[in-house]
Amino acid sequence: RTLKRQMMCRRDIDSLSVPFLSIYESLIPPEEEKLKQKQLLGLLEKLVCKEWPMARLYLYGSCANSFGVSKSDIDVCLAIQEADMDKSKIIMKLADILQSDNLQNVQALTRARVPIVKLMDPVTGISCDICINNLLAVVNTKLLRDYANIDARLRQLAFIIKHWAKSRGVNETYHGTLSSYAYVLMCIHFLQQRRPAILPCLQGMEPTYSVTVDNVDCAFFDKVEKLGHFGRHNKETIAHLVWGFFYYWAYCHDYANSVISVRTGSTISKRDKDWTRRVGNDRHLICIEDPFEISHDLGRVVDKHSIKVLREEFERAADIMQYDPNPCVKLFEPY
Ligand code: GTP
Ligand code: MG
């Protein structure tokens, strides 16, 4: 497969950066939306603290990792120590507390893989999912945000990839395709691999931030402002990187043997992780190691049908980037 392809990209690729950047800009949430999110978080904090004065609320996911596009829902984590209450009881009680105020569609989903309370705030129009004590997600949110502050091209690339994945219907874990979180990790990995590298490996550096969460040691270098402009020696444009990203996943990644690992800044072998065969429901057909829960493969949701769909989408996108006269239109065509 790889050999058949010419490794060269089109000569006019860099001129495509202008339309890609304007797509990126159109997806950035306006300041006003960020304010509304804070306002809703403040309201939730007030209600929760009335019942549980020691509890804390944290934003996580795309509203806090800087990879959130305009009009996203917000993800909130309730940190609470209630030794004698299990998660579903806390969820029920939380739903009760929020129900009584002016919030709409308050639902307790106690049986989901991650139990949550869902709600909608009619004042700001924002929908929100609240989970309990999922502090690893709060820490990986910080890791992603710190990466985003190193080089502007990461946020641009991730916005474009997420927009592509949503338009093409391959951002649906329920249907065996990948989560937004997985796509952002794929982007970080890709930029760590460029030569010269555009991103460093923060977990491979002397830690300046270190916490233990659910028995997992999470340590990494987080003083990213001290890195200067780390990626300055690499002059690749956003259009070139979008092309390179799809080309990598279409024709270069070794699906049979490799795991991508942001934690190590490299790929590691499936054999070393014992991810060579199906275990339970985890098929390991595309392997993306979680940076902290290293036994967790974010590609586990992908099955033998959806892997085909995904790889065909990567090839389609790579070919559009290579040959289409107007790739910005075709790339995001609804499926
Ligand atoms: P959008 O909502 O699509 O804009 O993206 P998001 O960044 O909020 O991602 P998503 O809703 O997929 O996930 C929310 C957060 O959950 C991620 O940012 C991670 O911090 C955390 N998370 C941890 N493990 C997983 C996992 O296995 N799958 C997913 N989807 N999220 C995880
Ligand atoms: Mg989200």
Side-chain angles (χ1 to χ4, degrees):
R1 227 182 213 182
T2 317
L3 291 178
K4 265 199 292 185
R5 293 273 148 181
Q6 239 188 327
M7 259 297 268
M8 272 208 329
C9 85
R10 57 199 281 174
R11 238 181 300 144
D12 65 342
I13 188 90
D14 296 333
S15 68
L16 296 171
S17 286
V18 175
F20 275 121
L21 285 175
S22 59
I23 292 171
Y24 160 69
E25 266 148 33
S26 71
L27 295 168
I28 297 176
E31 209 40 52
E32 175 200 343
E33 206 175 302
K34 291 270 142 200
L35 284 175
K36 283 184 176 169
Q37 293 179 351
K38 290 221 178 80
Q39 190 186 330
L40 174 56
L41 188 71
L43 168 69
L44 295 173
E45 253 163 1
K46 212 177 72 196
L47 295 171
V48 165
C49 283
K50 251 196 247 165
E51 179 70 34
W52 291 301
M54 302 299 282
R56 288 285 164 274
L57 289 182
Y58 296 96
L59 283 177
Y60 74 101
S62 65
C63 56
N65 65 16
S66 72
F67 297 103
V69 302
S70 175
K71 303 199 176 65
S72 303
D73 298 351
I74 66 172
D75 298 304
V76 177
C77 169
L78 169 67
I80 184 170
Q81 286 174 333
E82 279 274 358
D84 52 338
M85 234 194 208
D86 67 33
K87 263 194 192 171
S88 49
K89 283 228 182 73
I90 301 177
I91 290 281
M92 304 276 267
K93 182 148 182 198
L94 178 63
D96 235 32
I97 296 168
L98 302 174
Q99 193 76 261
S100 50
D101 209 75
N102 274 339
L103 298 162
Q104 280 178 358
N105 310 340
V106 181
Q107 284 173 281
L109 306 185
T110 51
R111 282 194 226 159
R113 190 180 63 86
V114 179
I116 52 168
V117 174
K118 272 186 158 323
L119 57 87
M120 209 281 277
D121 172 30
V123 177
T124 56
I126 297 174
S127 296
C128 161
D129 291 351
I130 310 176
C131 67
I132 313 294
N133 292 340
N134 188 5
L135 291 170
L136 273 173
V138 177
V139 178
N140 70 41
T141 294
K142 171 174 164 56
L143 179 73
L144 266 48
R145 186 174 62 234
D146 287 338
Y147 271 115
N149 284 330
I150 298 172
D151 194 292
R153 287 170 289 185
L154 171 59
R155 193 170 181 233
Q156 295 164 357
L157 179 66
F159 269 48
I160 289 162
I161 300 304
K162 276 178 69 172
H163 181 52
W164 162 83
K166 284 183 210 287
S167 316
R168 301 298 301 166
V170 288
N171 179 207
E172 292 173 31
T173 47
Y174 282 109
H175 294 135
T177 53
L178 298 169
S179 66
S180 298
Y181 178 53
Y183 281 112
V184 175
L185 292 172
M186 290 158 82
C187 291
I188 295 174
H189 167 77
F190 174 72
L191 298 182
Q192 287 176 329
Q193 300 307 300
R194 303 311 288 168
R195 291 295 171 262
I198 294 180
L199 291 178
C201 170
L202 294 177
Q203 289 170 277
M205 298 165 68
E206 196 56 49
T208 50
Y209 171 85
S210 169
V211 286
T212 303
V213 178
D214 301 341
N215 295 320
V216 180
D217 288 322
C218 308
F220 56 94
F221 181 83
D222 76 335
K223 301 269 173 280
V224 296
E225 66 286 351
K226 298 229 166 92
L227 292 173
H229 180 193
F230 179 90
R232 67 187 174 281
H233 300 299
N234 184 312
K235 310 279 187 222
E236 286 172 306
T237 60
I238 186 62
H240 191 96
L241 293 169
V242 171
W243 168 81
F245 179 90
F246 288 125
Y247 191 87
Y248 175 81
W249 288 101
Y251 304 113
C252 307
H253 180 68
D254 183 356
Y255 287 79
N257 301 300
S258 290
V259 176
I260 66 153
S261 163
V262 163
R263 171 181 63 98
T264 59
S266 177
T267 53
I268 49 189
S269 105
K270 276 199 192 180
R271 212 171 314 127
D272 291 349
K273 303 214 54 130
D274 205 17
W275 283 356
T276 48
R277 67 213 136 77
R278 174 170 175 176
V279 179
N281 260 339
D282 295 9
R283 294 170 177 87
H284 304 303
L285 299 173
I286 174 171
C287 294
I288 303 159
E289 179 192 61
D290 186 273
F292 300 116
E293 287 178 278
I294 64 173
S295 63
H296 192 45
D297 176 8
L298 291 160
R300 72 194 179 291
V301 290
V302 177
D303 58 36
K304 74 178 193 282
H305 169 71
S306 60
I307 187 68
K308 212 165 149 263
V309 172
L310 262 178
R311 293 187 66 171
E312 280 168 13
E313 282 297 330
F314 289 136
E315 286 169 25
R316 172 187 180 274
D319 292 351
I320 290 171
M321 290 302 294
Q322 183 85 16
Y323 303 112
D324 198 273
N326 197 359
C328 290
V329 176
K330 194 76 178 284
L331 202 55
F332 305 106
E333 239 165 40
Y335 62 106

